[in-house]
Amino acid sequence: MNDLAPAADITVPADVLASILQVYDDGLYLQAYQRAQAVGPLPKWRGSEARILAGRLAGNLGSIRFADWHFVHAWRKDRTHPETLWYFARYLLSVRGPLAAWKFVQDHPFPRDAARTMQSHWFSQHATILGRLRDFDAAEVWLHKADALGEEAWTCLEWAALYTLEDRHADAEKAARRALQLHPWYRPAVQWVAHFLVQQQRDDEALQLLTQATGFLESGAVFAQLANLQMELKRYDDAGHSLDEVERLSPLADRHMKQWLDARRCDLACFRGDFDKAIEHGRKAVGTDARTKSKFYESLVPLLTNRTGPGKRVEVPVAFVQQHHRTCAPATLVAIAKFWTMPADHLEVAAEISYAGTPHHSQRKWAHDHGWLTKEFTVDWDTAVALIERGIPFTLTTTEVTTAHLQAVVGYDSLRRTLIIRDPGERHRVEMAYDVMLERYRSTGPRGMAMVPIAQKEKLAALTLPDEALYEILFQVERALKDHRREEARLGVEALAGQAPKHFLTATAQRILAIYDADMPAELTHTERLLELFPGDTHLELARAY
């Protein structure tokens, strides 16, 4: 027989599938994989139940891509099987979004003779999709339908996910803990509960739970979650061990998983001062596929290679304040306020200044009204370093094609040339490669705001920040338009044009005034002026198309 001949398709006996599934349900994914390998290679498994189990194994052994491949092919071969329907809907939700998934579940009736558990999952699947569409009332109806078929650990986690979207975090944690009661050491429930503990900064409890779970589960995902927390807490030796376990428990790791591992190991080596190893892993983390290439590590490797010293890493201890839906600005302002021991309530601030987002002028006016000296400015590297060296965290606006986000810059790393970010949507501190960030957000500055209590205004007042005088006029223009003082706004725009006729802030102010006037020809003119300054900017291109 030719050893290079392709392996034949494999039909897995039902009793063998059941024995593998039993081990899988206990979270012993490596043992389940070893049993599966005795049957034959997973890519050759055929039949609905076999393909679904192979996909579930693959997803827990390092390859979401391989998992999706099996789920898609399972549905294509059998479009009425309960499990293929459920997993294909889940696939659509992850890759094409809730609208595509909702159309699918509406167009594909679920078999009435499906097992009770699968019917429950199908009902809760509707809730998950509706939750992403923010139709919470309808989502709860479907979850109650699922509960009516019997209490399931999975349904509890779907409740937890829905409560999270509704910003009901205490209820979400309670639901996830109920899942753990129903199914001890249930891997998804362990990760959900640990996530909620981390979001509440109950780090010791999260460490204990995840560490205990590693004694019961063979899960790279659990070790990855543990490694992230250990790195946040600067427990670098422990994090290194956890990353080794991620690799051991991910025998099917695809290129995305391998890139993630190399990225984490590059970061870890940097923090340990082992720069040769950091360069080695950083090169791998860049990736070779243009679609997945990491600009962060692509910019980092030359910096590490050409280093002249160990560099300097400075962080200001700004605590995490978790945002609700579209309250990134209030949460960030409150996080900075707490740093200065001038505490404020996140939801009270949101009620005062937010409505489906928070304009810059509302953020700044709130600060003025509550005892702060503020300065807006264009963020550059030297200014960011100077502010952090003085112990002044500042806000940073990142504007995408259709959205914008506010977070706090709380530190810098001179060797990695990164800004350290406290994001209100993510408990762990993250880093932005400064040069990559500047290129991405240059059409809007990037816009920053420093704020200090009036009682300590000397810390900020003595600093001259880039474009602060122009931002001051822009602030007055925005406030005037907010209060419908159109003539005052016009005078401000003219003042900007007189001081800096070719500056992007001038064109920005002129465009804002045109939008207020509903003067679309003028709006187009100023949008095109901005595009001359920032050719190819997707945010502006979309505005021009409109």
Side-chain angles (χ1 to χ4, degrees), residues 207 223 226-227 230-231 234-244 268 272:
L207 279 172
F223 270 109
L226 180 59
Q230 288 164 336
M231 289 182 69
K234 297 181 172 58
R235 300 187 181 191
Y236 298 138
D237 290 342
D238 292 339
H241 168 72
S242 294
L243 291 175
D244 289 342
L268 187 59
R272 285 171 155 174

Side-chain angles (χ1 to χ4, degrees), residues 86-330:
W86 191 90
Y87 279 97
F88 188 73
R90 206 76 179 183
Y91 161 78
L92 285 177
L93 180 62
S94 66
V95 301
R96 293 183 57 192
L99 184 58
W102 182 248
K103 289 179 178 178
F104 176 81
V105 299
Q106 292 298 295
D107 292 342
H108 293 81
F110 202 66
R112 294 185 178 181
D113 59 350
R116 178 190 60 80
T117 297
M118 283 309 305
Q119 290 186 37
S120 173
H121 286 6
W122 187 249
F123 290 160
S124 64
Q125 179 95 289
H126 284 64
T128 299
I129 298 167
L130 288 165
R132 300 279 186 90
L133 293 168
R134 303 196 68 79
D135 189 346
F136 301 137
D137 291 341
E140 291 195 8
V141 170
W142 282 100
L143 283 174
H144 285 304
K145 287 183 179 181
D147 283 336
L149 295 174
E151 193 174 23
E152 297 271 355
W154 179 255
T155 309
C156 292
L157 295 182
E158 297 285 43
W159 275 110
L162 182 64
Y163 287 144
T164 299
L165 291 171
E166 294 182 81
D167 299 315
R168 296 167 58 182
H169 301 297
D171 291 333
E173 182 184 346
K174 183 178 178 181
R177 288 189 179 278
R178 179 57 182 160
L180 271 183
Q181 291 175 343
L182 294 172
H183 187 159
W185 301 112
Y186 184 33
R187 192 271 307 163
V190 167
Q191 290 198 265
W192 267 110
V193 173
H195 166 75
F196 293 132
L197 291 172
V198 168
Q199 292 294 93
Q200 297 171 57
Q201 302 184 76
R202 294 156 62 186
D203 297 336
D204 289 341
E205 294 177 63
L207 279 172
Q208 183 180 15
L209 174 62
L210 291 169
T211 302
Q212 286 180 331
T214 62
F216 293 91
L217 305 171
E218 296 172 341
S219 170
V222 169
F223 270 109
Q225 191 172 2
L226 180 59
N228 281 335
L229 180 55
Q230 288 164 336
M231 289 182 69
E232 171 82 5
L233 299 176
K234 297 181 172 58
R235 300 187 181 191
Y236 298 138
D237 290 342
D238 292 339
H241 168 72
S242 294
L243 291 175
D244 289 342
E245 287 297 291
V246 173
E247 184 174 28
R248 182 180 72 85
L249 294 168
S250 304
L252 299 180
D254 56 24
R255 68 174 183 270
H256 300 284
M257 186 68 194
K258 290 175 181 177
Q259 271 186 265
W260 180 89
L261 265 172
D262 280 309
R264 293 282 77 196
R265 282 171 165 158
C266 175
D267 294 339
L268 187 59
C270 282
F271 301 151
R272 285 171 155 174
D274 188 346
F275 298 118
D276 289 339
K277 183 166 286 188
I279 293 168
E280 174 191 345
H281 288 294
R283 285 175 176 154
K284 295 177 183 177
V286 172
T288 57
D289 189 327
R291 294 171 297 176
T292 60
K293 183 174 286 189
S294 169
K295 289 187 177 181
F296 181 96
Y297 292 97
E298 189 175 34
S299 68
L300 177 60
V301 169
L303 293 172
L304 297 177
T305 303
N306 300 319
R307 69 190 184 279
T308 57
K312 186 176 183 181
R313 187 178 180 91
V314 180
E315 297 181 46
V316 178
V318 175
F320 174 68
V321 174
Q322 186 173 7
Q323 73 169 88
H324 284 194
H325 182 58
R326 295 186 176 180
T327 65
C328 58

